[in-house]
C-alpha cells in the first residue's frame, strides 16, 4: 500500500452510484466517454448478464478464473494492457469485483462496476479481498481510487441464486455487530466515525425489517421496494460503514471467523456471507453477549442463516479442524481482538462450542 493511502482515510464511495431496475441492460450509454472499454467477467456472471441484457455491448471480453488471486489479476492486467483499454467494465459478483479493482489499480484506468449478485459490498468498496491458490483468505488491499460508476440493477441481481442474497444479508448484518464494540471502546470518535456507526445501525434495522419480505419478493419474481432496499443496503449502504469508519468499522470477529473457516476445504462451497453470519454468533458469544446471539436465532432461521458448525460444513466432532479455525481466527493479521481484546484460540474454541448450545 502506498504511504499516501492510509487505512483510516475517509473513503465515501464510488464517483456515481445508480440503482434502478433495468439500468444494466442500457450500460452502453454510460461508456460513451471511453475509446476502448473492455469487459472483465466470469463464466456464470457473463451468462447471467448476456441472458438479461437485450443489447450486449460489443466490447472485448476477458474472463477471470474465479480464484480472486493477485496472480490472476496480474495475468489479466497484462492481456488488457496489450489491448490498450482505457476502462474496465466489471460484470460479476464479489470475487470478480475484487479482481477487477486489482486490475484497474495495476493499469491506472477507470472502473465501472455492474454487480450480478447482492452478496457483499465489493462493488462499492475500495478494497480487494485476495485469496491464495487453495482458496484461503490471504489479504485485503486498499486501493488508491474508488470505482467511477456502480450500476445496481435489482432485476439483474434477482436472476442469481437465492443463496447469495441470503449470504449478502448475513455479510451485511455483520457491519453492525463487528463495528459496534470497536466504536464503543473508542474514546476519540470522529464525526465520520459517528456517521459510520449510524449507517451500521440503519443497515441492521433495514435487514431485520425487510429481509423476509425481500426474499419473498425474490421467490415470487417481484422487483419491489422490499427487494431494492435490501439490495442497496448490501451493496451500497454497507460500503459506507468501512468507507467512513476506516479500520474501526471494516472487520473484527465475524470476518475473522470467516477467514479462519476458509482453511477447512469442506467450507469452500459455503457462500462468503453465510460463513460471516456464523461468525457473528461466535463473536457475540465470545463477547459475553449470549442473550443477544440467542435473540438473533429466530431471524437467522426465518431467512436461512447458519448458526451451527454443521450448517457451514464443519463436523462438530472434528476437534483438530475446530482448533485450526480458532488458531487462524486470532492469528497474525486477525482483527478479532478489535471486538474482544486479548482473545485467545482457547476462547474461540469455547465460543464455537457454546454456539452449538445456544437456542
Amino acid at each position: 500500500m502506498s504511504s499516501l493511502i492510509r487505512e483510516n482515510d475517509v473513503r465515501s464511495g464510488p464517483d456515481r452510484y445508480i440503482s434502478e431496475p433495468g439500468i444494466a441492460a442500457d450500460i452502453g450509454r454510460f461508456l460513451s466517454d471511453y475509446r476502448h472499454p473492455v469487459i472483465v467477467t466470469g463464466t456464470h456472471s457473463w451468462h447471467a448478464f448476456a441472458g438479461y441484457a437485450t443489447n450486449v455491448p460489443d466490447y472485448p471480453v476477458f474472463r477471470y478464473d474465479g480464484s480472486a488471486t493477485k496472480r490472476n489479476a496480474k495475468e489479466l492486467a497484462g492481456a488488457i494492457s496489450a489491448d490498450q483499454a482505457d476502462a474496465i467494465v466489471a460484470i460479476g459478483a464479489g470475487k470478480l469485483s475484487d479482481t477487477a479493482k486489482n486490475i484497474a489499480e495495476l493499469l491506472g484506468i477507470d472502473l465501472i462496476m455492474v454487480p450480478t449478485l447482492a452478496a457483499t459490498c465489493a462493488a462499492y468498496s475500495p478494497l480487494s479481498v485476495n485469496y491464495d491458490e487453495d482458496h484461503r483468505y490471504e489479504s485485503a488491499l486498499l486501493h488508491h481510487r474508488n470505482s467511477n460508476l456502480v450500476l445496481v440493477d435489482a432485476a439483474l441481481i434477482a436472476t442469481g441464486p437465492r443463496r447469495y442474497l441470503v449470504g449478502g444479508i448475513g455479510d451485511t448484518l455483520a457491519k453492525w455487530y463487528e463495528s459496534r464494540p470497536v466504536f464503543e471502546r473508542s474514546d476519540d470518535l470522529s464525526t465520520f466515525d459517528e456517521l459510520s456507526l449510524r449507517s451500521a445501525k440503519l443497515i441492521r434495522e433495514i435487514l431485520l425489517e425487510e429481509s423476509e419480505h425481500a426474499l419473498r419478493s425474490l421467490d415470487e419474481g417481484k422487483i419491489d421496494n422490499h427487494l431494492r432496499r435490501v439490495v442497496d443496503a448490501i451493496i451500497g449502504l454497507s460500503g459506507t460503514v468501512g468507507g467512513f469508519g476506516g479500520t474501526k468499522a471494516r472487520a473484527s470477529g465475524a470476518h475473522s471467523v470467516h477467514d479462519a473457516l476458509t482453511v477447512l476445504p469442506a467450507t469452500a462451497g459455503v457462500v462468503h456471507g453465510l460463513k460471516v453470519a456464523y461468525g457473528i454468533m461466535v463473536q457475540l458469544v465470545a463477547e459475553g453477549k449470549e442473550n443477544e446471539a440467542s435473540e438473533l436465532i429466530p431471524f437467522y432461521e426465518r431467512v436461512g442463516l447458519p448458526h451451527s458448525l454443521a450448517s457451514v460444513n464443519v463436523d462438530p466432532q472434528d476437534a483438530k479442524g475446530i482448533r485450526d479455525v480458532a488458531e487462524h481466527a486470532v492469528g497474525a493479521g486477525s482483527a478479532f481482538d478489535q471486538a474482544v481484546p486479548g482473545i485467545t484460540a482457547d476462547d474461540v474454541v469455547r465460543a464455537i462450542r457454546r454456539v452449538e448450545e445456544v437456542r
Side-chain angles (χ1 to χ4, degrees), residues 257 278 282 285-286 309 316 318-330 336 343-356:
V257 173
Y278 172 75
V282 175
V285 170
L309 287 167
D318 182 7
K320 181 182 183 303
I322 292 169
R323 168 58 63 171
D324 287 345
V325 167
E327 295 283 356
H328 279 80
V330 298
F336 207 140
I343 191 165
T344 67
D346 287 342
D347 295 331
V348 177
V349 170
R350 281 192 289 270
I352 289 172
R353 291 300 187 190
R354 184 57 188 155
V355 168
E356 295 294 290

Side-chain angles (χ1 to χ4, degrees), residues 2 34 37 40 46-48 51 69 75 117 153 171 215-216 240 256 267-268 287 301 306 355:
S2 166
Y34 299 104
V40 176
W46 183 245
H47 179 75
T69 57
E75 292 171 348
L117 299 173
D153 186 336
D171 186 56
L215 289 167
R216 191 175 304 117
T240 66
S256 295
T267 71
E287 287 183 79
E301 293 183 341
V355 168

Side-chain angles (χ1 to χ4, degrees), residues 15-242:
D15 292 346
R16 298 174 70 192
Y17 179 98
I18 302 174
S19 178
E20 180 183 322
I23 197 74
D26 197 22
I27 189 174
R29 69 185 176 93
F30 293 97
L31 302 174
S32 59
D33 291 337
Y34 299 104
R35 293 177 294 100
H36 193 37
V38 301
I39 292 171
V40 176
T41 188
T43 301
H44 298 300
S45 302
W46 183 245
H47 179 75
F49 177 77
Y52 171 78
T54 55
N55 185 22
V56 178
D58 186 20
Y59 304 133
V61 176
F62 295 84
R63 285 194 173 88
Y64 90 128
D65 64 8
S67 67
T69 57
K70 294 177 182 177
R71 183 262 313 155
N72 188 224
K74 289 177 182 177
E75 292 171 348
L76 287 166
I80 292 169
S81 177
D83 210 41
Q84 298 183 322
D86 60 349
I88 292 169
V89 181
I91 299 175
K95 288 186 176 181
L96 183 279
S97 297
D98 289 338
T99 300
K101 282 180 277 188
N102 282 336
I103 298 168
E105 175 91 352
L106 289 167
L107 298 180
I109 61 177
D110 285 0
L111 177 61
I112 294 90
M113 295 286 201
V114 183
T116 55
L117 299 173
T120 69
C121 64
Y124 191 101
S125 163
L127 283 162
S128 281
V129 177
N130 301 298
Y131 294 84
D132 67 16
E133 299 294 346
D134 294 317
H135 312 294
R136 298 171 301 194
Y137 170 82
E138 182 178 276
S139 63
L141 176 66
L142 186 62
H143 295 294
H144 289 71
R145 296 192 298 168
N146 287 68
S147 55
N148 301 80
L149 172 65
V150 178
L151 294 177
V152 178
D153 186 336
L156 169 60
I157 288 166
T159 67
R162 187 183 196 271
R163 68 183 183 276
Y164 287 102
L165 184 62
V166 175
I169 291 166
D171 186 56
T172 307
L173 189 64
K175 298 297 182 181
W176 168 252
Y177 292 101
E178 290 193 282
S179 64
R180 178 187 58 177
V182 184
F183 281 129
E184 287 179 344
R185 197 170 292 111
S186 177
D187 58 3
D188 62 344
L189 291 186
S190 71
T191 302
F192 287 106
D193 289 336
E194 292 179 20
L195 183 58
S196 172
L197 184 59
R198 293 186 187 192
S199 183
K201 184 178 181 181
L202 176 60
I203 285 169
R204 179 182 179 276
E205 291 170 357
I206 290 172
L207 294 180
L208 293 182
E209 176 184 338
E210 297 282 14
S211 292
E212 291 171 76
H213 298 298
L215 289 167
R216 191 175 304 117
S217 297
L218 181 74
D219 293 340
E220 294 174 357
K222 294 192 294 190
I223 312 302
D224 59 13
N225 197 47
H226 298 299
L227 181 60
R228 292 183 65 186
R229 278 170 61 79
V230 169
V231 165
D232 282 328
I234 293 169
I235 296 174
L237 193 57
S238 114
T240 66
V241 178

